[in-house]
Amino acid sequence: MSDQPSKPRRRYLRIAVGAVIVGAVAIAFVLRSPSPVGHWNSAEDRDRFLAAYDRAFQDLPAPAETLDIRTDYGVVRVYRFTGTGSSTHPLFLLPGRSSATPVWAANLPGLLTIGDVYTVDLLGEPGRSIQERPISGDDDQAAWLDQTLQALPTSKVHLVGLSIGGWTAANLALHDSSHIATLTLIDPAQVFGDIPWSTAIRALPAAVPWLPKSWRDSFNSYTAGGAEVQDVPIADMIEAGMHAYSLKLPQPTRISEDRLAALDVPVLAVIAGRSVMHDAREAVDTAERALPNGTVQLYPDASHAVNGEYPDRLRDDIADLVATHSDR
């Protein structure tokens, strides 16, 4: 399958998958409000984000089903898309920070050839999920996601996480892998390497909502390897979420190599060679050491927006993982 989209399509695909997760950013959000849960800064901000969400959602195939799943921590929005492939278990996709289901627009057509696909708006992030109870640590992050999977009409899923969604997926697998057939981590944050200080410093002004929109656009372009982000639906949605929503989530714990080695499900790790979320070479070395039975793929020319830049290669790598472990 070719990874050479048209110029307008290529511009659309090279969009940042979300804001970086660093302590300084989390502190900036926490200081803004005493509320213990993530929330919209105003009704007007919420409306602006949801309008951008709906515009970006138009680039996805029509979902077969929309689910609002109640968990102990809030209501989780999940979409089901009907696939044409024969995979025994569906795929379940977790997006990055300050993004949501529409970030998978470039990937869904290919992934649906593997089988049915579920997508989720992360709880505590801008999207259509509604946080109702504080999420205070890694255990809580695993709990809400596990409860969501338990509510699905399937015994297992092929769990796929992008950026902070990759950390969220790995965190669940370490707490309880009983509902996970395979695990795919796409340039995950805080899994195979620490976030560089240069990225942390650039993220701070992007997290301050009263600063100009251009600051958030600049950071999103930086994470996407310098891609243009003006008047692009996914980029507009991400920027609107960064501006409109106050996160109240704990800093994810960096996952140690010893814990990664304890993963008991097949793992595919995709590392972007031009990622700003970790040192790519060190991330590959860590993944190869910690996952002796895993598959580690370096995409040398990819930025952190790797899912939009290489949708066909990602589809093929995920399809190989699913086919190899179809008996799980």
Side-chain angles (χ1 to χ4, degrees):
M1 301 176 71
S2 172
D3 268 323
Q4 300 298 321
S6 65
K7 185 174 180 180
R9 185 64 170 167
R10 204 158 47 233
R11 177 173 175 266
Y12 165 75
L13 295 178
R14 287 174 50 81
I15 300 305
V17 297
V20 63
I21 37 117
V22 292
V25 174
I27 292 171
F29 276 110
V30 168
L31 291 178
R32 296 183 60 240
S33 166
S35 173
V37 298
H39 60 278
W40 303 105
N41 297 327
S42 70
E44 181 181 27
D45 286 339
R46 177 183 181 274
D47 290 346
R48 175 175 173 251
F49 171 82
L50 292 180
Y53 180 108
D54 290 343
R55 285 193 297 271
F57 204 95
Q58 293 174 7
D59 290 318
L60 275 65
E65 190 175 8
T66 299
L67 306 171
D68 286 316
I69 297 173
R70 177 157 293 284
T71 73
D72 291 344
Y73 300 86
V75 179
V76 178
R77 171 59 61 92
V78 173
Y79 300 97
R80 181 178 67 82
F81 299 85
T82 302
T84 59
S86 58
S87 175
T88 302
H89 305 300
L91 277 67
F92 192 97
L93 312 183
L94 284 71
R97 171 136 293 174
S98 292
S99 60
T101 286
V103 81
W104 298 107
N107 306 99
L108 275 171
L111 294 179
L112 288 170
T113 66
I114 300 173
D116 284 1
V117 175
Y118 287 91
T119 66
V120 65
D121 291 356
L122 296 178
L123 196 61
E125 300 271 359
R128 291 191 178 273
S129 293
I130 303 171
Q131 186 183 1
E132 298 175 338
R133 175 182 169 185
I135 295 172
S136 59
D138 298 350
D139 290 349
D140 290 345
Q141 289 279 34
W144 77 257
L145 181 54
D146 187 59
Q147 290 171 21
T148 301
L149 297 184
Q150 288 184 48
L152 301 179
T154 181
S155 60
K156 290 187 176 183
V157 299
H158 296 286
L159 197 59
V160 180
L162 171 67
S163 188
I164 187 59
W167 178 90
T168 307
N171 179 62
L172 173 61
L174 289 167
H175 280 79
D176 185 350
S177 63
S178 59
H179 300 292
I180 303 173
T182 66
L183 180 65
T184 297
L185 309 176
I186 304 174
D187 210 45
Q190 292 290 86
V191 176
F192 301 120
D194 294 315
I195 294 172
W197 279 108
S198 57
T199 296
I201 292 169
R202 292 195 64 148
L204 184 56
V208 181
W210 44 262
L211 288 176
K213 176 179 181 294
S214 60
W215 292 44
R216 293 182 290 279
D217 286 340
S218 176
F219 180 74
N220 286 334
S221 177
Y222 165 72
T223 64
E228 175 61 54
V229 298
Q230 298 292 328
D231 301 319
V232 181
I234 290 176
D236 289 343
M237 178 193 69
I238 292 172
E239 185 279 324
M242 295 169 70
H243 171 76
Y245 195 83
S246 291
L247 280 75
K248 293 303 177 79
L249 296 173
Q251 172 75 0
T253 303
R254 166 69 191 281
I255 300 175
S256 69
E257 290 189 38
D258 288 345
R259 294 190 70 211
L260 287 170
L263 286 169
D264 60 357
V265 296
V267 180
L268 166 65
V270 174
I271 307 298
R274 297 170 57 222
S275 177
V276 298
M277 297 303 168
H278 41 225
D279 180 281
R281 187 66 259 173
E282 290 182 5
V284 168
D285 291 344
T286 298
E288 289 178 340
R289 286 194 305 269
L291 305 171
N293 297 316
T295 300
V296 181
Q297 295 281 10
L298 173 66
Y299 290 22
D301 296 325
S303 75
H304 190 55
V306 56
N307 72 300
E309 295 167 341
Y310 292 91
D312 293 335
R313 182 176 175 183
L314 266 175
R315 182 268 171 204
D316 292 345
D317 285 341
I318 293 172
D320 287 345
L321 179 72
V322 169
T324 301
H325 301 283
S326 60
D327 58 342
R328 284 184 55 84

